[in-house]
Amino acid sequence: MHRLCAVTAAVSALVALAMAHAALAQSSLPHASAADQAEAIAIFKQLIEINTTDTPQGSVTAGTEAMQKRFLDAGFPPEDVRLLGPDPRKQNLVVRYRAEGTPNEKPVLFLCHMDVVQALRSDWTTDPFQFVEKDGYYYGRGTQDMKDSDAALVATFLRLHREGYKPKRDLILALTADEEGGKFNGAKWLVEQHRDLVDAAYVINPDSGGVELDHGRALVADVEATEKVYSDFQVTATNRGGHSSLPRPDNAIYELMAALDKLAAYKFPFELNEVTRTYFRNLAARESGQRAADMLAILATPPDMAAAARLSEEPSFNSNLRTTCVATRLNAGHANNALPQTAQAIVNCRIFPGHSPEEIRQQLVALFADPKLAVQYVSNEGEVMNTAPDRKAISPPPPLPEVFGPLTRITDAIWPGVPVTPIMENGASDSVYFAQAGIPSYGYSAIALELDDDRAHGKDERLPMDSFTKSLDFFYSFAKELGEK
Ligand SMILES: [Zn+2]
C-alpha cells in the first residue's frame, strides 16, 4: 500500500515549534558499517531484480527462496527459516530469531510483503526490474513499496545474528505474498493457518507510516496505529422491465437512486478511539484558533457535536471521525428503449475499527429501508455474498509505550525534533488481518520521503539513497531495543 499519509496540511505549522528535547544525539546511534551497508544494498538489488508481481512473469517464491538461502548460509537453524504457503508461486518466508533462554514476553513480528505492483518497461524511464543507482536515488519497482524495508529487515536480522546478539524474546520476520493483490494473501493465510508461527505481542509493519519531508526538512513521523477496514457492497434493484414507451412508477434506476440519495445525505455516527484521540490531541497543540478549539472540544466528555460537525467538513478529518460509505460505481439498464431490469451500484465503505462489515451491511439495509433492494458484500476476490464477515478489527489499545518509546527516541536521533504522531490509516494493509486476530499492529517504515515524491505503485519509483541508510540504522537499533524486553 501507499506509505505516506495526508495529514501534512494539518501539521504544516508544526515545524515552527522548536521544542526542546532531551534527545540522544544522532552520533550516538550505532551506524551500519560499510560492509553492513554493502550487504543491505546487495539484498535490496537482488530483491528489486526478482519480479514478484502477481503476473505470469512474477514469483514471490523466487524472492522468498533467495532470502531463505541467505538466512541458511548465515547459520540460522533450518527449523527457524520456514518457507510455506498455499501456492507454489506464493510461498511466504517466516524467520524466527530465537531468544536466549525462556522468554518472558511474546515475540515481536516484523511483517513485510514481498510482492509488488506490476510495472511496464514501456512506461518507465529505466527497466523497473533493474536496480538502478542514479543521482542519489535507487530506482526500481518496489524501492518505496516495500522492498526497501524487506531488504532493511533481512539485513538487520543477518547483522544482529553475525554480531551474536541474543534477544530476550523471539523476533520474527515474515516476508509474505499477495498484499497488493492476488488470491493468496500471505499475512491472512499465516495468521489463519499457522498462528503459532506468527503469534506475537504486536506487529511492526513497515508498509505504512514514515517521515514526511518538505525540502529536506522532516515535518512529521507518522505511525499507523490502527486502520479502517475496507469493504465493498453491491446494491441491486431489479424490475420486470418492459417497453420504455409504457413507463410505470416502479423503476429499478429510480429505486436505486432513491437509496443512493439517502446514502449521500447520511453520516455514520461520530466516534473516537485511543489512536484518534491521541492524534487530535497532538494536532490541537500545533493548530490554532477555531480548529484547535474544535479538536479539543470533540475530546471533551460529552463531545461537542457542533465542533465535530465543523471538523467533519474537512474530508481527512471526517474520515478519522466515523465510518464512511460512498457510491463509487454505477451500472444500469440494457437498452435505450427498454425499462431497466437491473440497476446496480458499488458502495465502498471504510469501517471504523470495532465494527464488522456485516454490522455496516445491516445499517445500509436499514438506511435504504427498501425490501426490494439487495445489499450484498463483495469480497476482495470479487465474490458476491448475501452476508458480510462478522469479524471486527479490534478497537485499538492506547499506543503501546514499549513500542512508541524506542520508536520516538530512535526517530529523534535520526531526524531531531520531528514529532512522532500515531494515526488511523484510511487505507488498508496486511495489518488488518492481525488486528482482526486481536494483535495490535504499528505501521512505520522509517523511510523519509519528500511530500511530492510518493511514487509507490507509480512509474519511476525511487528511494533516496540516504533514506535507505537511515532506515538501516533505525531498524537495527529498534529491533535490538524491542528484543530487550
Ligand atoms: Zn505496500
Side-chain angles (χ1 to χ4, degrees):
M1 79 163 232
H2 164 126
R3 305 194 144 208
L4 292 180
C5 303
V7 294
T8 319
V11 293
S12 55
L14 59 85
V15 198
L17 289 176
M19 291 182 299
H21 46 267
L24 138 109
Q26 184 171 0
S27 56
S28 70
L29 261 196
H31 291 296
S33 69
D36 294 332
Q37 284 187 31
E39 180 185 52
I41 294 165
I43 295 168
F44 195 9
K45 174 175 162 52
Q46 183 180 25
L47 288 177
I48 295 294
E49 295 185 352
I50 297 172
N51 182 334
T52 55
T53 57
D54 182 37
T55 64
Q57 296 76 40
S59 165
V60 167
T61 304
T64 46
E65 273 178 354
M67 297 303 104
Q68 180 192 38
K69 180 172 187 320
R70 285 184 178 269
F71 283 106
L72 294 176
D73 289 351
F76 277 69
E79 64 272 22
D80 291 343
V81 184
R82 299 278 303 274
L83 194 71
L84 70 173
D87 182 88
R89 288 171 54 251
K90 301 298 174 79
Q91 296 286 297
N92 309 286
L93 184 69
V94 182
V95 179
R96 183 172 291 255
Y97 193 131
R98 295 234 174 235
E100 181 153 61
T102 312
N104 293 321
E105 301 287 342
K106 287 176 106 173
V108 177
L109 173 68
F110 293 90
L111 179 64
C112 297
H113 71 77
M114 276 288 268
D115 58 317
V116 291
V117 171
Q118 170 67 311
L120 298 178
R121 177 67 187 93
S122 51
D123 293 339
W124 278 52
T125 308
T126 59
D127 183 339
F129 298 102
Q130 289 294 314
F131 186 72
V132 175
E133 301 181 28
K134 200 172 67 173
D135 307 329
Y137 291 91
Y138 299 115
Y139 284 84
R141 170 56 87 225
T143 48
Q144 288 189 5
D145 184 11
M146 61 175 292
K147 286 178 169 171
D148 50 343
S149 303
D150 299 345
L153 264 312
V154 169
T156 296
F157 270 49
L158 292 173
R159 179 178 165 198
L160 290 170
H161 184 260
R162 188 159 58 237
E163 292 175 355
Y165 171 67
K166 303 278 188 217
K168 295 197 174 72
R169 69 200 310 177
D170 291 359
L171 302 175
I172 305 170
L173 172 61
L175 300 170
T176 63
D178 282 5
E179 191 274 343
E180 303 287 7
K183 282 189 289 196
F184 302 102
N185 184 285
K188 182 172 189 276
W189 186 81
L190 286 168
V191 85
E192 287 175 359
Q193 308 293 326
H194 294 273
R195 172 85 183 235
D196 55 317
L197 278 182
V198 292
D199 198 28
Y202 52 85
V203 174
I204 305 296
N205 180 357
D207 197 21
S208 63
V211 177
E212 298 188 19
L213 298 178
D214 183 19
H215 297 89
R217 214 155 42 148
L219 292 179
V220 65
D222 294 327
V223 183
E224 186 201 291
T226 184
E227 64 188 38
K228 292 176 105 177
V229 175
Y230 179 109
S231 284
D232 287 324
F233 297 96
Q234 177 175 283
V235 185
T236 308
T238 45
N239 187 281
R240 64 191 164 91
H243 202 286
S244 64
S245 64
L246 298 169
R248 303 182 306 272
D250 60 296
N251 178 299
I253 291 180
Y254 297 159
E255 283 153 13
L256 179 67
M257 287 308 121
L260 295 182
D261 274 344
K262 289 179 184 168
L263 181 65
Y266 181 70
K267 269 191 177 326
F268 280 81
F270 161 84
E271 283 184 77
L272 289 167
N273 59 34
E274 292 293 343
V275 171
T276 57
R277 280 184 174 279
T278 309
Y279 167 73
F280 282 110
R281 197 177 302 116
N282 288 354
L283 215 50
R286 299 166 201 138
E287 289 280 350
S288 58
Q290 183 73 53
R291 193 168 258 193
D294 285 346
M295 288 176 179
L296 294 174
I298 62 167
L299 301 177
T301 313
D304 179 338
M305 297 314 285
R310 277 191 296 275
L311 288 176
S312 299
E313 287 169 18
E314 165 69 43
S316 67
F317 295 145
N318 182 55
S319 68
N320 265 276
L321 293 173
R322 54 176 46 83
T323 293
T324 63
C325 291
V326 62
T328 54
R329 301 181 79 169
L330 206 50
N331 185 20
H334 58 280
N336 289 356
N337 57 2
L339 297 174
Q341 285 180 270
T342 307
Q344 210 160 51
I346 294 292
V347 171
N348 175 248
C349 298
R350 306 299 173 118
I351 301 172
F352 208 85
H355 302 283
S356 69
E358 177 58 16
E359 192 182 332
I360 300 304
R361 194 191 68 82
Q362 288 180 15
Q363 285 182 28
L364 291 175
V365 169
L367 171 68
F368 299 152
D370 181 349
K372 295 196 296 299
L373 292 178
V375 182
Q376 293 165 296
Y377 173 78
V378 185
S379 75
N380 289 346
E381 290 77 30
E383 204 183 332
V384 179
M385 294 178 262
N386 289 332
T387 58
D390 58 8
R391 270 183 320 174
K392 47 183 86 166
I394 45 166
S395 200
L400 280 179
E402 66 169 284
V403 175
F404 274 75
L407 189 153
T408 304
R409 271 198 310 282
I410 300 164
T411 296
D412 195 79
I414 300 174
W415 297 277
V418 69
V420 171
T421 304
I423 59 160
M424 180 170 75
E425 172 64 53
N426 296 315
S429 76
D430 279 343
S431 291
V432 72
Y433 302 113
F434 287 86
Q436 286 173 341
I439 303 175
S441 180
Y442 298 99
Y444 190 57
S445 65
I447 288 292
L449 284 182
E450 289 290 333
L451 291 169
D452 59 0
D453 206 30
D454 182 353
R455 300 186 181 194
H457 301 195
K459 68 170 277 205
D460 294 345
E461 188 178 346
R462 66 181 187 178
L463 184 76
M465 289 176 170
D466 93 300
S467 193
F468 184 66
T469 314
K470 284 175 174 159
S471 81
L472 289 179
D473 290 344
F474 176 85
F475 278 116
Y476 175 81
S477 291
F478 192 48
K480 228 171 156 170
E481 276 211 46
L482 296 183
E484 280 313 292
K485 200 168 161 16

